[in-house]
């Protein structure tokens, strides 16, 4: 299996951003991720697909060490970002999460104003020297998240008062405001209507210019639309990884094919 | 016929009703239970309820009303002057009652015949001595009028009791008969039992509500009575609390301010102890503690809430007071001589604070836990540390709820009695020194009522005014607190 994606790597042009080797994740006794190795490239959108409970979110949360916040979770193996082992003891997970932003399935703006939501990360990490710099950062982030025009005259209204799609874009703005290098998105559109989904998808495509984006999705169409690379997980295994086009047109593994054609759900 | 007999008869009728109705239902279906509308036990239950419920209701109402009615009939024989004054009237009626009870006892012990008890007159024999022989002690000689009233009281009571038995038994039998007649295979016994159960539940709820209403009304009436004897402005704005117990109507200063000052001062000390400790332990438990630690510490903390307040009071009196005295007293470690006795606002406040810790912590813990995990994930995902997340996301989100919890704790503190009685001393004072003895509204209610005063002097009636004022204050606090907590809950639904 690993040979499959080695072959894919050979034809890629972008540098490898995240390299995972033999990753195992356990929740107590449950073995949730089984020996996964994968190379995720810079300036690329990588989609994780697979049936529910196959470990997509778990693996995604390994990349910014969010699993550290779960008591019973244990991660083994080796994950490197820019060739630096993120599970090394010298790495501060808090610093790491500033570099690896995350957007969650359900929009989760803080019960604060729109401005304070976006300024939250920059304030914590001291990214601005004064108010006007902070204003700039907030404005830039909101623009990148394609929501600036909708909220520019109500920056001090509560973020929780926005519509679902706006909230999710606000969360994306909040994540990009800390200038991450990698953006992890866990089913960012599953709580959104089709129009909001289209907006967020468009946004993801733009974000690719600057970031390495990893997106978990339940929608095969979405994976096909926004990603260049696709990884198919099944029961904790990485079954197949490769160019999105190839996965969807000529999958090599019979399990991938059954899933894509709707036989595993 | 005594009430207990009536009760037994009702129960017997009800049991009989159960079986005969069940039998009749089966018979009406020709012995085939499948053709009945309901299970046979529903027909039985229906009859049992029909026999018991209305009869018991009437018995209960009768037992409440009969004494009231008899009381008013008898007391109309009292001299005009006595009738006019509520206090004297109740004293006189208490005498009548005591003699009537004494005669009852005498008859039941065989010291008098029933006829003798009815006919006995003051001149002919010494009633006081005759009653003393059977162990009924009377405070003073029995006068003719009172004796006659007592006899009248007995006569009315026994007639009333006869009519009570008749009325209740007729109703029970009637209910049973009707239910029995209605028992037929098509009768919807199941639905009618269902309705009966519903009304039973409603009745239970009503009792609870009516009792509360009754308590409030008795407070209001007695408070009103107090203000007719003592000027309201002297009560609310008086700065001296010096009740005189020597003579009724003697000059007492019943100023509310020193008491409410003591209450608020001690409550404030208590909250200054309880809020930080409670809140910090809630934060530790909900955000930092591992599962095993939490599963041990949380129940331990909540155990504090199970300690009776009198035990806290002892702790204040015997441990904390002397300890504080050792530090702040005349020959204390600091040599400051701020404190002259072990009982002080500080003593009571500290111990009350300890008592309130579990109260604050367990409410705050619930509230902090109610902040969705998504908020924490969002903050951690942006690279915030645990304490940053706590300070900037969780606490602001939980703040209204925590304020509610604190207000609830405050209303507990204001209503607390035992710790104050034992820990704070008895002197009402408007002092700013926390090491001085102080007293609170609740403690003074206790001390005004422990004694054998009748409820007809301002010195005792003031307890109701104090209780009422306290009730209004804590009620307001509770309403505000519940409103805040509820609003906070809605925010995340
Ligand atoms: N916090 C957790 N505690 C215990 N088990 C978990 C936890 N999160 C996920 N799991 C388990 O790990 C497996 C993978 O879950 P997840 O990564 O959420 O799947 P996916 O996102 O692909 O639907 C599932 O079997 C799930 O039950
Ligand atoms: Mg998932």
């Amino acid at each position: 299996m690993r040979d499959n994606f080695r072959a894919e790597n050979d034809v890629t042009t972008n540098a490898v951003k995240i390299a995972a080797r033999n990753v195992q994740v356990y929740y107590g006794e449950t073995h949730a991720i089984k020996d996964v190795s994968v190379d995720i490239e810079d300036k690329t959108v990588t989609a994780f697909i697979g049936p529910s409970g196959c470990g997509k979110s778990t693996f995604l949360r390994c990349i910014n060490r969010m699993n550290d916040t779960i008591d019973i979770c244990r991660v083994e193996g080796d994950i490197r970002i820019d060739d630096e082992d993120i599970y090394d003891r010298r790495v501060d997970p808090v610093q790491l999460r500033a570099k690896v932003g995350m957007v969650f399935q359900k929009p989760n703006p803080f019960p604060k104003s729109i401005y304070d939501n976006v300024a939250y990360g920059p304030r914590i990490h001291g990214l601005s020297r004064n108010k006007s710099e902070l204003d700039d950062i907030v404005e830039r982030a909101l623009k990148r998240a394609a929501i600036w025009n909708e909220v520019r005259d109500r920056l001090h209204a509560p973020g929780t008062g926005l519509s679902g799609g706006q909230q999710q874009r606000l969360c994306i703005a909040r994540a990009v405001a800390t200038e991450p290098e990698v953006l992890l998105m866990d089913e960012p559109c599953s709580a959104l209507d089709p129009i909001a989904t289209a907006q967020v998808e468009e946004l993801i495509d733009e974000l690719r210019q600057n970031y390495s984006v990893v997106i978990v999705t339940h929608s095969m169409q979405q994976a096909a639309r926004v990603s260049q690379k696709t990884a198919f997980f099944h029961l904790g295994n990485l079954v197949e990884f490769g160019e999105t086009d190839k996965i969807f047109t000529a999958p090599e593994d019979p399990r991938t094919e059954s899933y894509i054609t709707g036989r595993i759900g | 016929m005594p009430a207990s007999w009536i009760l037994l008869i009702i129960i017997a009728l009800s049991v009989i009703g159960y079986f005969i109705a069940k039998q009749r239902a089966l018979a009406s279906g020709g012995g085939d239970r499948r053709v009945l509308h309901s299970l046979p036990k529903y027909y039985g239950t229906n009859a049992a309820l029909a026999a018991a419920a209305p009869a018991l209701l009437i018995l209960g109402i009768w037992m409440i009303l009969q004494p009231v009615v008899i009381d008013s009939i008898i007391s109309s024989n009292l001299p005009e002057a006595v009738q006019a004054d509520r206090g004297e009237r109740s004293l006189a009626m208490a005498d009548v009652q005591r003699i009537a009870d004494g005669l009852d006892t005498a008859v039941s012990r065989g010291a008098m015949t029933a006829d003798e008890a009815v006919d006995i007159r003051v001149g002919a024999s010494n009633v006081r001595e005759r009653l003393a022989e059977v162990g009924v002690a009377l405070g003073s000689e029995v006068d003719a009028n009172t004796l006659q009233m007592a006899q009248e009281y007995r006569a009315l009571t026994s007639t009333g009791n006869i009519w009570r038995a008749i009325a209740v038994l007729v109703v029970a039998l009637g209910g049973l008969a009707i239910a029995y007649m209605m028992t037929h295979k098509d009768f919807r016994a199941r639905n009618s039992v269902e309705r009966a159960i519903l009304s039973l539940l409603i009745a239970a709820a009503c009792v609870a509500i009516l009792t509360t209403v009754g308590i409030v009304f008795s407070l209001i009436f007695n408070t009103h009575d107090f203000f007719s004897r003592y000027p309201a402005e002297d009560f609310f704005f008086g700065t001296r609390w010096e009740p005189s117990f020597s003579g009724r109507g003697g000059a007492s200063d019943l100023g509310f301010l020193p008491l409410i000052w003591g209450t608020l001062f001690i409550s404030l000390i208590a909250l200054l102890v309880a809020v930080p400790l409670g809140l910090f332990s809630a934060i530790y438990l909900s955000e930092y503690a591992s599962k095993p630690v939490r599963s041990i510490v949380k129940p331990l903390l909540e155990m504090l809430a199970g300690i009776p307040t009198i035990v806290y009071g002892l702790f204040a009196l015997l441990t904390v007071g002397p300890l504080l005295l050792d530090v702040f007293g005349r020959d204390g470690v600091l040599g400051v001589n701020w404190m002259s006795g072990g009982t002080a606002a500080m003593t009571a406040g500290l111990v009350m604070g300890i008592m309130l810790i579990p109260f604050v912590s367990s409410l705050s813990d619930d509230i902090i836990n109610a902040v969705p995990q998504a908020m924490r994930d969002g903050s951690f995902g942006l690279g915030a540390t645990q304490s940053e997340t706590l300070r900037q996301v969780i606490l602001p989100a939980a703040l209204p709820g925590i304020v509610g919890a604190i207000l609830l704790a405050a209303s507990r503190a204001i209503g607390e009695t035992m710790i104050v009685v034992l820990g704070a001393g008895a002197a009402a004072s408007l002092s700013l020194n926390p090491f001085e003895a102080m007293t609170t509204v609740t403690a003074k209610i206790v001390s005004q009522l422990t004694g054998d005063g009748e409820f007809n002097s301002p010195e005792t009636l003031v307890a109701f005014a104090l209780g009422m004022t306290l009730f209004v204050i804590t009620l307001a606090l509770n309403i505000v607190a519940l409103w805040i907590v509820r609003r906070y809950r809605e925010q995340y639904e």
Side-chain angles (χ1 to χ4, degrees):
Chain A
M1 201 188 314
R2 204 174 307 157
D3 294 347
N4 290 347
F5 74 74
R6 281 280 157 72
E8 293 294 337
N9 281 346
D10 292 343
V11 298
T12 55
T13 48
N14 289 327
V16 172
K17 184 75 182 172
I18 307 165
R21 290 293 172 273
N22 309 97
V23 175
Q24 320 276 350
V25 181
Y26 303 86
Y27 288 109
E29 296 296 300
T30 328
H31 196 174
I33 291 289
K34 296 166 190 150
D35 203 29
V36 169
S37 302
V38 66
D39 284 327
I40 291 166
E41 294 162 15
D42 205 5
K43 308 207 190 308
T44 307
V45 178
T46 306
F48 287 178
I49 60 172
S52 287
C54 65
K56 307 179 295 290
S57 303
T58 301
F59 187 67
L60 196 72
R61 292 161 61 93
C62 290
I63 301 176
N64 67 347
R65 293 187 60 175
M66 274 297 271
N67 283 332
D68 292 15
T69 61
I70 299 172
D71 288 341
I72 53 168
C73 186
R74 209 169 77 244
V75 179
E76 286 171 9
D78 192 44
I79 300 179
R80 289 168 180 276
I81 295 181
D82 291 334
D83 224 26
E84 189 188 351
D85 183 0
I86 61 168
Y87 280 87
D88 190 282
R89 277 204 301 158
R90 277 166 308 187
V91 171
D92 176 7
V94 171
Q95 255 359 84
L96 172 74
R97 288 183 206 132
K99 206 164 92 173
V100 184
M102 186 155 198
V103 176
F104 298 82
Q105 176 167 0
K106 219 177 129 226
N108 58 348
F110 302 132
K112 297 169 179 288
S113 72
I114 294 172
Y115 183 96
D116 287 339
N117 261 284
V118 181
Y120 185 81
R123 275 185 181 140
I124 283 179
H125 300 294
L127 299 185
S128 65
R129 264 167 309 197
N130 52 42
K131 178 85 171 79
S132 70
E133 264 186 39
L134 189 61
D135 289 347
D136 288 344
I137 292 176
V138 169
E139 180 175 340
R140 211 163 44 226
L142 286 168
K143 277 180 176 156
R144 257 198 224 157
I147 191 182
W148 171 250
N149 288 333
E150 290 155 68
V151 299
R152 60 191 303 170
D153 13 275
R154 49 168 170 154
L155 287 178
H156 295 284
T160 41
L162 298 171
S163 75
Q166 289 173 322
Q167 286 190 9
Q168 193 62 301
R169 277 178 289 148
L170 175 63
C171 291
I172 294 173
R174 191 174 69 182
V176 300
T178 50
E179 302 287 342
E181 297 166 21
V182 177
L183 201 55
L184 308 175
M185 303 179 130
D186 193 349
E187 301 185 36
C189 300
S190 65
L192 305 185
D193 62 62
I195 293 176
T197 302
Q199 288 167 332
V200 172
E201 282 180 8
E202 202 175 316
L203 178 59
I204 293 171
D205 203 51
E206 278 165 30
L207 293 174
R208 178 159 68 95
Q209 315 295 324
N210 303 299
Y211 308 104
S212 165
V213 179
V214 184
I215 174 172
V216 171
T217 173
H218 259 124
S219 149
M220 250 92 65
Q221 290 88 334
Q222 185 171 60
R225 281 194 300 265
V226 300
S227 73
Q228 288 76 53
K229 293 276 180 138
T230 297
F232 171 62
F233 286 80
H234 186 236
L235 300 177
N237 296 302
L238 177 62
V239 174
E240 194 165 347
F241 177 63
E243 300 284 337
T244 299
D245 291 344
K246 178 154 177 304
I247 296 268
F248 281 99
T249 51
E252 291 183 4
D253 195 287
R255 285 170 292 177
T256 317
E257 187 179 356
S258 333
Y259 180 70
I260 287 166
T261 53
R263 265 175 285 155
I264 315 181
Chain B
M1 197 183 299
S4 51
W5 284 32
I6 301 180
L7 203 65
L8 281 179
I9 293 175
I10 293 176
I11 291 172
L13 280 176
S14 160
V15 171
I16 293 169
Y18 181 87
F19 288 107
I20 60 174
K22 198 167 153 183
Q23 216 51 54
R24 184 178 160 97
L26 276 173
S28 77
D32 180 0
R33 53 193 298 161
R34 280 172 304 175
V35 304
L36 301 181
H37 170 270
S38 316
L39 291 175
K41 67 175 183 191
Y42 280 112
Y43 293 96
T45 312
N46 182 48
L49 284 172
L56 287 177
L57 189 69
I58 291 194
L59 181 62
I61 294 176
W62 198 295
M63 284 171 74
I64 294 169
L65 289 188
Q66 180 172 309
V68 179
V69 173
I70 293 182
D71 196 86
S72 74
I73 294 176
I74 302 274
S75 66
S76 62
N77 294 348
L78 287 170
E80 288 288 316
V82 178
Q83 274 190 55
D85 185 289
R86 260 188 60 170
E88 294 210 21
R89 180 177 167 278
S90 75
L91 276 178
M93 285 312 294
D95 278 346
V96 170
Q97 185 105 40
R98 210 170 306 139
I99 295 171
D101 288 347
L103 290 173
D104 283 343
T105 318
V107 172
S108 72
R109 297 253 180 103
M112 272 185 207
T113 62
D115 290 337
E116 223 180 329
V118 175
D119 297 331
I120 194 167
R121 286 290 172 269
V122 172
S125 64
N126 189 333
V127 181
R128 190 180 179 195
E129 267 171 24
R130 297 276 318 254
L131 290 180
E133 281 165 24
V134 290
V136 180
L138 296 178
S140 58
E141 270 314 319
V142 181
D143 71 77
N145 191 20
T146 312
L147 179 63
Q148 201 164 359
M149 278 164 59
Q151 281 161 338
E152 201 177 325
Y153 185 94
R154 291 189 67 222
L156 281 175
T157 306
S158 74
T159 339
N161 284 354
I162 290 169
W163 282 110
R164 177 178 74 186
I166 292 172
V168 170
L169 292 182
V170 164
V171 169
L173 280 170
L176 177 59
I178 292 171
Y180 184 71
M181 299 311 290
M182 273 164 53
T183 302
H184 181 264
K185 71 178 170 43
D186 294 330
F187 175 58
R188 301 184 179 182
R190 198 168 160 218
N191 307 27
S192 115
V193 169
E194 194 66 29
R195 272 196 304 277
I197 287 175
L198 175 67
S199 24
L200 207 73
L201 297 180
I202 292 178
C206 286
V207 169
I209 294 170
L210 288 180
T211 317
T212 316
V213 172
I215 291 174
V216 172
F217 270 99
S218 101
L219 266 182
I220 292 177
F221 283 134
N222 287 296
T223 306
H224 180 79
D225 194 9
F226 169 71
F227 284 130
S228 68
R229 292 155 196 263
Y230 192 87
E233 63 272 18
D234 287 0
F235 173 72
F236 284 115
F237 303 108
T239 55
R240 282 151 53 90
W241 176 268
E242 277 157 19
S244 80
F245 272 107
S246 45
R248 286 182 189 162
S252 289
D253 282 315
L254 300 175
F256 177 64
L257 288 181
L259 302 188
I260 192 72
W261 170 252
T263 299
L264 295 180
F265 199 29
I266 293 175
S267 301
L268 182 75
I269 297 175
L271 288 180
L272 286 179
V273 174
V275 170
L277 289 179
L279 194 56
F280 290 166
S281 50
I283 289 171
Y284 170 70
L285 283 180
S286 61
E287 298 294 312
Y288 289 89
S290 65
K291 274 238 176 67
V293 173
R294 185 180 156 86
S295 69
I296 295 171
V297 175
K298 199 168 152 85
L300 271 183
L301 204 60
E302 274 162 10
M303 223 166 69
L304 278 181
I307 299 176
T309 55
I310 184 75
V311 175
Y312 281 108
L314 290 176
F315 178 58
L317 183 68
L318 301 177
T319 311
V320 176
L323 209 70
L324 285 176
L325 198 59
D326 281 348
V327 178
F328 299 102
R330 186 198 307 275
D331 302 316
V333 181
L334 299 180
V336 284
N337 193 16
W338 288 340
M339 203 169 173
S340 52
T343 50
M346 191 53 119
T347 314
L350 283 180
V351 174
M352 203 192 280
I354 295 169
M355 179 199 82
L356 290 177
I357 290 174
F359 208 71
V360 175
S361 78
S362 98
L363 272 172
S364 306
D365 184 51
D366 288 350
I367 285 157
I368 291 173
N369 273 327
V371 175
Q373 183 62 30
M375 292 295 121
R376 298 183 178 86
D377 286 348
S379 176
F380 291 144
L382 288 167
T385 62
Q386 201 146 22
S387 76
E388 284 163 348
T389 305
L390 189 68
R391 271 180 287 129
Q392 306 198 20
V393 177
I394 298 181
L395 285 186
L399 192 65
I402 291 173
V403 170
I406 292 172
L407 289 186
L408 284 179
S411 92
R412 268 295 294 269
I414 290 174
E416 175 49 43
T417 314
M418 269 348 279
I419 296 176
V420 182
V421 169
L422 293 178
S429 96
L430 268 171
S431 160
L432 270 173
N433 179 1
F435 296 103
E436 205 164 282
M438 271 186 205
T439 193
T440 65
V441 177
T442 51
K444 277 303 149 195
I445 293 180
V446 173
S447 70
Q448 291 309 100
L449 296 190
T450 41
D452 46 2
E454 291 282 339
F455 284 106
N456 52 9
S457 65
E459 285 78 14
T460 43
L461 283 171
V462 69
F464 290 101
L466 292 174
M468 186 76 204
T469 319
L470 205 59
F471 172 68
V472 169
I473 293 174
T474 49
L475 184 73
L477 268 181
N478 278 344
I479 289 175
V480 173
L482 288 178
W483 178 72
I484 292 175
V485 171
R486 172 138 358 119
R487 237 183 46 147
Y488 161 75
R489 293 239 163 90
E490 279 163 4
Q491 194 181 324
Y492 289 110
E493 271 163 11

